[in-house]
């Protein structure tokens, strides 16, 4: 038997991963590779993980547990290795035996810290953002003091943990060139077509992004926007916007190749995958000046960067790239060359070295 087959890794997710989410996708990619390397891997999804509930909510959760146990898989949107076990638990108070537990969010860190788990098992906290939307900031910061090995995906997250007096390892994300790549040459893309992620989360700030597109459209009526997302669109979009709900990988790749520009208006990101995916497809990036973007988006080199919440500044950068095709193509090429170094092979090798 391969010696690594004796080691069991358990990944804890905050809920059933029923749609594409960046942080979940990265954890699943690592889970697949651990399984390929001979580790036993199990994925855990809770029905309830955080917050108080009334009697009716508890009854509803019991019904959901009965419905989904042994009936849920991420295979509906992610090609999971067949050796990996998936388990829906009612909650995380008692965990299955394992050598390694990896929590993938602040809620799972809180659950893992208080759970009944295997004696002597090692615990890892995979930090993928400053997750202050479901817990209070003081409670979030408290999780950085748990007796876990902390691994963060970006330098600014490492620094946040270190400011709390705790050590934190850096494991940047990777990308798959087979999934996202240039199929339409940079010089042949639609110069006035912009793609943007639609998301209901306020930190993604889609409304500011849409306002920037409207401003740019006033100057350039030929502008078209390709809006894509895993959530149904609740906003009224102009007629020059096309919305793609939960596109598969092939469709997403086509969107990125058709549009010459990618717009990222977020107020908070951990390590934004859509920025890297756009660069892999040869798009020129326009985005806000936040640490989760600027790991990859270097102003006037791999992107044009502007202040958070400033629709006028975002629009000005879109207009600049439409009106200066040489600059657009230069930024797109520089970004494409830069992102080539961020591979899943390198990302997994580093992450694995920390775990094993």
């Amino acid at each position: 038997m391969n010696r690594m087959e004796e080691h069991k890794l358990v990944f804890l997710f905050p809920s059933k991963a029923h749609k594409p989410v960046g942080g979940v996708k990265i954890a699943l990619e690592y889970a697949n590779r651990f399984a390929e390397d001979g580790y036993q891997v199990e994925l855990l999804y809770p029905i309830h993980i955080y917050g108080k509930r009334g009697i009716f909510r508890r009854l509803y959760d019991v019904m959901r547990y009965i419905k989904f146990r042994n009936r849920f898989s991420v295979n509906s949107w992610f090609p999971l290795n067949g050796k990996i076990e998936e388990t829906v638990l009612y909650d995380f108070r008692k965990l299955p035996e394992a050598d390694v537990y990896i929590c993938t969010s602040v809620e799972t860190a809180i659950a893992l810290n208080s759970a009944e788990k295997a004696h002597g098992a090692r615990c890892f906290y995979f930090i993928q953002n400053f997750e202050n939307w479901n817990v209070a900031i003081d409670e979030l910061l408290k999780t950085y003091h748990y007796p876990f090995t902390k691994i963060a995906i970006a330098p600014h997250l490492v620094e946040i943990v270190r400011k709390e007096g705790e050590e934190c390892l850096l494991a940047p994300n990777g990308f798959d060139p087979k999934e996202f790549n240039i199929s339409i040459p940079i010089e042949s893309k639609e110069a006035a077509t912009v793609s943007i992620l639609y998301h209901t989360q306020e930190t993604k700030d889609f409304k500011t992004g849409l306002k920037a597109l409207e401003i740019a459209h006033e100057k350039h009526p030929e502008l078209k926007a390709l809006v894509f997302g895993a959530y149904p669109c609740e906003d009224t979009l102009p007629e020059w916007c096309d919305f793609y709900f939960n596109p598969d990988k092939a469709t997403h790749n086509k969107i990125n190749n058709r549009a010459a520009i990618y717009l990222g208006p977020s107020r908070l990101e951990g390590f934004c995958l859509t920025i890297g995916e756009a660069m892999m497809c040869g798009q020129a990036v326009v985005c806000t000046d936040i640490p989760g973007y600027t790991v990859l988006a270097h102003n006037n080199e791999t992107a044009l960067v502007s202040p958070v919440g400033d629709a006028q500044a975002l629009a000005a950068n879109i207009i600049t790239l439409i009106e200066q095709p040489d600059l657009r193509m230069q930024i797109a090429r520089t970004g494409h060359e830069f992102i080539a170094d961020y591979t899943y092979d390198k990302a997994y090798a580093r992450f694995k070295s920390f775990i094993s």
Side-chain angles (χ1 to χ4, degrees):
M1 177 182 290
N2 187 323
R3 193 173 66 85
M4 288 183 292
E5 290 181 349
E6 300 172 4
H7 298 307
K8 181 175 180 180
L9 277 63
V10 167
F11 285 81
L12 283 70
F13 294 93
S15 63
K16 302 189 314 302
H18 61 280
K19 64 178 63 178
V21 176
V24 173
K25 179 182 176 182
I26 293 297
L28 293 176
E29 288 283 356
Y30 290 159
N32 266 359
R33 290 169 184 260
F34 276 117
E36 291 167 6
D37 278 348
Y39 289 82
Q40 297 179 52
V41 180
E42 183 174 6
L43 313 181
L44 300 183
Y45 316 114
I47 292 298
H48 173 72
I49 190 169
Y50 183 80
K52 295 181 179 179
R53 299 165 298 160
I55 181 64
F56 292 110
R57 179 66 195 191
R58 291 198 295 272
L59 289 173
Y60 176 65
D61 286 346
V62 169
M63 293 172 61
R64 290 173 64 229
Y65 173 63
I66 294 172
K67 176 181 179 180
F68 288 110
R69 63 176 180 175
N70 304 322
R71 295 186 182 92
F72 175 79
S73 175
V74 297
N75 272 304
S76 61
W77 65 271
F78 185 89
L80 193 68
N81 187 298
K83 298 178 182 178
I84 295 176
E85 182 179 357
E86 295 179 277
T87 305
V88 175
L89 296 178
Y90 182 74
D91 56 36
F92 283 167
R93 284 180 293 180
K94 184 175 182 179
L95 301 177
E97 293 286 315
D99 301 290
V100 171
Y101 297 101
I102 304 172
C103 53
T104 61
S105 69
V106 61
E107 300 96 337
T108 53
I110 293 171
L112 179 60
N113 188 54
S114 59
E116 182 182 337
K117 44 191 175 285
H119 178 72
R122 293 179 296 134
C123 299
F124 293 83
Y125 187 0
F126 189 29
I127 300 170
Q128 303 186 74
N129 208 332
F130 188 71
E131 300 176 75
N132 62 348
W133 46 86
N134 285 333
V135 302
I137 289 180
D138 59 344
E139 188 168 11
L140 170 59
L141 295 177
K142 184 179 178 181
T143 66
Y144 298 153
H145 296 273
Y146 289 165
F148 305 158
T149 299
K150 290 88 180 175
I151 305 173
I153 61 175
H156 71 283
L157 297 173
V158 170
E159 288 306 310
I160 291 173
V161 177
R162 288 178 176 171
K163 285 181 180 178
E164 289 297 304
E166 297 288 331
E167 187 50 62
C168 187
L169 304 168
L170 175 64
N173 288 339
F175 299 88
D176 184 358
K178 295 179 182 178
E179 181 178 354
F180 291 98
N181 49 68
I182 295 178
S183 60
I184 297 177
I186 290 171
E187 61 273 13
S188 301
K189 298 184 189 298
E190 298 177 13
T193 298
V194 183
S195 66
I196 181 174
L197 172 69
Y198 175 80
H199 205 293
T200 56
Q201 193 169 300
E202 289 185 5
T203 59
K204 303 295 184 182
D205 205 3
F206 175 76
K207 293 186 184 300
T208 295
L210 181 58
K211 180 62 177 177
L213 290 169
E214 290 171 340
I215 295 169
H217 187 268
E218 291 177 4
K219 180 74 179 294
H220 287 278
E222 74 275 21
L223 184 148
K224 296 183 182 297
L226 308 181
V227 184
F228 63 93
Y231 296 86
C233 187
E234 299 174 355
D235 293 69
T236 301
L237 300 177
E239 54 87 20
W240 41 268
C241 293
D242 293 334
F243 180 67
Y244 298 83
F245 172 61
N246 206 16
D248 58 24
K249 292 179 180 180
T251 303
H252 192 177
N253 198 59
K254 289 179 181 178
I255 292 169
N256 283 9
N257 271 277
R258 178 183 166 191
I261 301 167
Y262 178 78
L263 174 60
S266 288
R267 296 175 177 270
L268 178 68
E269 294 281 354
F271 184 113
C272 186
L273 295 181
T274 54
I275 290 286
E277 292 163 355
M279 291 177 178
M280 294 186 75
C281 294
Q283 289 181 279
V285 171
V286 169
C287 65
T288 47
D289 187 10
I290 59 172
Y293 279 156
T294 55
V295 174
L296 304 177
H298 304 162
N299 194 32
N300 292 315
E301 295 178 8
T302 61
L304 293 184
V305 178
S306 59
V308 171
D310 191 337
Q312 289 284 352
L314 286 171
N317 283 339
I318 293 171
I319 292 168
T320 294
L321 294 183
I322 293 174
E323 296 180 349
Q324 299 183 37
D326 288 344
L327 175 62
R328 172 182 64 79
M329 289 186 284
Q330 175 189 325
I331 287 176
R333 291 190 182 104
T334 303
H336 185 258
E337 293 169 2
F338 176 77
I339 202 63
D341 194 47
Y342 284 80
T343 66
Y344 269 129
D345 287 343
K346 290 183 179 180
Y348 170 67
R350 178 172 293 191
F351 190 84
K352 179 185 174 184
S353 72
F354 297 151
I355 299 298
S356 61

